[in-house]
Amino acid sequence: MPYVFEFDNANALLQGRLFGVVSSQDLREYFRNGIKCVTAKKPRAGITDLSGVTSFEANSQTIRDLASARPVASAENLLRVIVAPTPDVFGMARMFESHGEATRPNLHVVKTCKEAFAIVGVQEPHFETIDLNALNASAESAGTD
């Protein structure tokens, strides 16, 4: 699993960080777990940080599919920022932004975490890692998985 989700409770800020080699399958799984995190934590903003990605192998069709998928109802107007520092990852993030304009109107693509934190209005976030196993178990027991 080449990603982790973190939450800053004081600022209601959800962050997902991807790292290493990221495939289409990894990206789809990241989105499924991201939906669970948004549903459980109800953030006011979310950041996807791709700074740790060493090889982005998700294909363009996956990007288009994910961009056109409707977000969960509680996240339709969520302020979103994607941090994509390298040219290839930045290009894929911009493709996601372009194809997702109708479903994610509050999405921004930037090159640094500093820019992302400025957009969401947080200077020094204090993230705690979200235990995805516990979150998934909770969703299954509630019948929402």
Side-chain angles (χ1 to χ4, degrees):
M1 181 167 52
Y3 58 85
V4 64
F5 285 97
E6 303 163 312
F7 191 67
D8 175 345
N9 198 49
N11 293 296
L13 178 60
L14 177 66
Q15 176 172 262
R17 290 185 300 119
L18 291 100
F19 43 86
V21 178
V22 177
S23 68
S24 289
Q25 180 180 340
D26 295 328
L27 201 55
R28 289 180 188 281
E29 182 182 310
Y30 171 82
F31 266 74
R32 282 191 299 274
N33 281 312
I35 289 169
K36 292 175 185 175
C37 290
V38 166
T39 301
K41 299 294 186 180
K42 301 187 182 6
R44 65 166 187 81
I47 296 173
T48 293
D49 182 1
L50 303 173
S51 300
V53 172
T54 57
S55 181
F56 195 80
E57 298 178 4
N59 62 47
S60 57
Q61 186 59 50
T62 298
I63 301 298
R64 287 190 295 274
D65 291 347
L66 293 172
S68 63
R70 295 223 52 89
V72 292
S74 62
E76 288 178 345
N77 295 314
L78 183 69
L79 175 59
R80 295 173 173 83
V81 184
I82 299 174
V83 179
T86 61
D88 58 330
V89 176
F90 189 85
M92 290 297 250
R94 290 283 292 126
M95 181 193 321
F96 180 83
E97 179 184 35
S98 172
H99 285 282
E101 285 177 331
T103 57
R104 291 162 183 83
N106 296 324
L107 175 66
H108 306 270
V109 178
V110 298
K111 293 189 176 192
T112 68
C113 288
K114 184 176 180 179
E115 291 172 282
F117 295 144
I119 289 171
V120 300
V122 175
Q123 289 184 342
E124 292 185 30
H126 300 285
F127 291 112
E128 293 184 18
T129 302
I130 296 172
D131 182 344
L132 291 176
N133 291 328
L135 190 66
N136 286 327
S138 173
E140 287 173 11
S141 68
T144 59
D145 190 41

